[in-house]
Amino acid sequence: MKHLSTLPCMRRLCPNIDKEDGLETVLEVPIPEEMFTGMGSNVALRWQNMLTWMKAQTADKLASPIIAARFNELRFLLYLVGSPLIPLQVQLGHSIHRPVRDCSIEASTAKYIVQQYIAATGGQPALNAVQSMCVTGQVKISASEFHQTDDNIEVKKSTEEIGGFVLWQNNPDLWCIELIISGCKACCGSNGKISWRHSSNQQTPVSTGPPRPLRRFLQGLDPRATANLFLDAMCIGEKIINDEDCFILKLETSPAIREAQSGPDYEIIHHTIWGYFSQRSGLLIQFEDSRLLRMRTKTDDDVFWETSTESVMEDYKYVDGVNIAHSGKTRVSVFRYGEQSANHKREMEETWKIEDVDFNVWGLSAESFLPPSDVMKKQES
């Protein structure tokens, strides 16, 4: 892929700045070399700038409007592009087969396509052998400004943010991701009872909700969860994606799920998912979803947010018998409108690359996915 050739290798160790012969420290989240080299003219200065930027994420430093605006922008990109969630609970069982009796031809065709996908990603025995995973990768995120227009917007490469992530999973409801871009860190996870997210900005409260899967799993990382997700889909036709003839599977989120995933200040009006499966290879080539959210305001002037996300997966490689997508590109379009709000549109792009995938990680348990302490205290009270 030409657009991934610029993604550099990952830096995993931090040198001992105080003692030249001291032991290096393993970084919690590997960072791309390009992100590191952009922070100074020499190694010592780069690490010092990195530490200074991370330490700036305190209450007194965030009083600065410039720093606060910068973190709000980075947090927006981290949540909406780097670690979005899907408002569904993927039911994970060892049997992915479903009877096709009493099904419409669209539903039975979708089940057949899913079976071909299972075979293309390694087969059911290989998928069932995966009990947990650890994934490291890197991302580049570009974004436009908000524009008062309905026209297409070209994403400005000058706003490119670079970062890396570490993702842990025990099953679709037990997962955690740590993601850093340009010195700002976000942590998101699910312990099977709630999902939560927070950024390194200490003034930002931890947000929680029902358990739901991370969208990144469905971008070629977790074939078993993807197969379970599309078992209830409908085959609605065919389309050519990157010169590949693909079947289109469509899945609508039910009203009951939308209501359960909604909160006191927002309501999910609809959430639709599409999967484009290659007729030649059986693999998932493109994954799309569209969501309409109504935000309630104190003045009863509701604001609507419509988000459309499209991910193209490439570079499938086998890891322990499971065929995993190792790179791709995601494009996000956000449209905000309402009776008392002017129409605003924004476009974002994420180029991502998977560095390492390890299955069946030793020592992972439910305790490895506990939410932050203040969330735990609320659950106990």
Side-chain angles (χ1 to χ4, degrees):
M1 291 178 61
K2 292 183 179 179
H3 64 270
L4 285 173
S5 61
T6 57
L7 284 175
C9 60
M10 304 288 280
R11 180 173 286 267
R12 301 172 183 272
L13 298 175
C14 172
N16 192 320
I17 299 176
D18 299 324
K19 296 182 180 180
E20 186 175 339
D21 58 345
L23 293 176
E24 296 182 314
T25 302
V26 178
L27 296 175
E28 292 184 2
V29 180
I31 61 173
E33 189 71 27
E34 187 175 346
M35 173 181 166
F36 174 71
T37 55
M39 290 196 166
S41 57
N42 58 67
V43 173
L45 180 60
R46 289 165 186 167
W47 284 116
Q48 194 60 51
N49 288 340
M50 174 80 75
L51 293 173
T52 301
W53 177 243
M54 298 298 287
K55 289 177 180 178
Q57 302 171 41
T58 57
D60 57 334
K61 295 291 194 294
L62 286 165
S64 166
I66 296 177
I67 293 180
R70 172 67 170 161
F71 272 104
N72 286 336
E73 166 68 8
L74 291 175
R75 189 170 65 248
F76 181 83
L77 296 177
L78 284 167
Y79 286 175
L80 192 65
V81 185
S83 58
L85 309 181
I86 291 289
L88 289 170
Q89 283 187 274
V90 178
Q91 302 300 321
L92 186 60
H94 285 292
S95 177
I96 309 179
H97 295 281
R98 297 274 185 88
V100 296
R101 292 179 300 173
D102 303 323
C103 286
S104 66
I105 188 170
E106 294 84 0
S108 59
T109 302
K111 289 177 173 55
Y112 173 78
I113 294 169
V114 170
Q115 294 304 320
Q116 300 306 305
Y117 170 71
I118 293 170
T121 52
Q124 189 167 329
L127 301 189
N128 288 342
V130 176
Q131 302 302 317
S132 62
M133 74 168 71
C134 176
V135 180
T136 60
Q138 53 182 303
V139 296
K140 281 189 176 184
I141 300 177
S142 304
S144 72
E145 302 294 336
F146 272 111
H147 292 269
Q148 294 188 24
T149 177
D150 296 339
D151 300 331
N152 291 331
I153 302 170
E154 182 178 353
V155 175
K156 297 179 180 179
K157 295 300 181 181
S158 59
T159 60
E160 192 170 69
E161 309 289 352
I162 303 170
F165 65 87
V166 175
L167 173 59
W168 304 84
Q169 185 201 40
N170 213 14
N171 64 49
D173 285 342
L174 287 174
W175 58 267
C176 180
I177 183 173
E178 293 182 276
L179 174 65
I180 291 179
I181 61 168
S182 300
C184 186
K185 181 178 179 180
C187 298
C188 308
S190 171
N191 67 348
K193 297 179 181 179
I194 62 169
S195 59
W196 49 271
R197 57 170 56 186
H198 73 95
S199 70
S200 50
N201 178 341
Q202 296 183 8
Q203 288 186 329
T204 305
V206 179
S207 60
T208 60
R212 46 200 161 161
L214 186 70
R215 189 184 189 278
R216 194 172 294 276
F217 286 127
L218 306 172
Q219 296 172 193
L221 275 181
D222 189 344
R224 185 162 55 148
T226 303
N228 276 278
L229 177 69
F230 282 104
L231 273 178
D232 295 320
M234 296 287 181
C235 181
I236 63 171
E238 303 176 16
K239 186 177 181 180
I240 298 177
I241 303 290
N242 292 340
D243 298 325
E244 290 271 2
D245 292 322
C246 296
F247 294 112
I248 308 173
L249 300 193
K250 181 180 179 181
L251 183 67
E252 292 280 0
T253 305
S254 68
I257 293 178
R258 293 200 307 268
E259 182 179 356
Q261 298 287 349
S262 297
D265 300 322
Y266 64 93
E267 176 187 3
I268 301 175
I269 306 298
H270 76 74
H271 196 117
T272 308
I273 295 172
W274 297 267
Y276 298 83
F277 294 82
S278 169
Q279 298 179 17
R280 178 185 59 84
S281 66
L283 294 171
L284 179 64
I285 301 299
Q286 185 164 302
F287 180 75
E288 296 180 9
D289 69 299
S290 177
R291 183 189 69 174
L292 178 61
L293 194 72
R294 176 165 62 192
M295 301 293 295
R296 302 183 180 93
T297 64
K298 296 180 180 180
T299 60
D300 294 329
D301 297 324
D302 294 344
V303 176
F304 294 86
W305 290 80
E306 188 169 4
T307 305
S308 299
T309 308
E310 173 188 295
S311 297
V312 177
M313 284 74 72
E314 297 185 8
D315 195 21
Y316 275 89
K317 298 177 185 177
Y318 279 93
V319 178
D320 296 338
V322 180
N323 208 357
I324 298 295
H326 280 67
S327 64
K329 178 181 284 188
T330 297
R331 187 173 182 90
V332 182
S333 175
V334 179
F335 189 41
R336 181 182 64 194
Y337 57 93
E339 291 185 5
Q340 303 298 322
S341 174
N343 294 349
H344 290 82
K345 189 175 183 180
R346 191 177 192 189
E347 299 281 352
M348 288 151 282
E349 283 185 357
E350 178 199 57
T351 302
W352 49 271
K353 180 181 179 181
I354 302 302
E355 293 287 329
D356 295 298
V357 179
D358 292 309
F359 293 136
N360 300 325
V361 182
W362 181 260
L364 279 186
S365 64
E367 286 71 27
S368 304
F369 303 92
L370 294 177
S373 57
D374 51 346
V375 177
M376 293 290 292
K377 292 177 181 178
K378 289 182 181 180
Q379 284 189 298
E380 295 171 356
S381 59

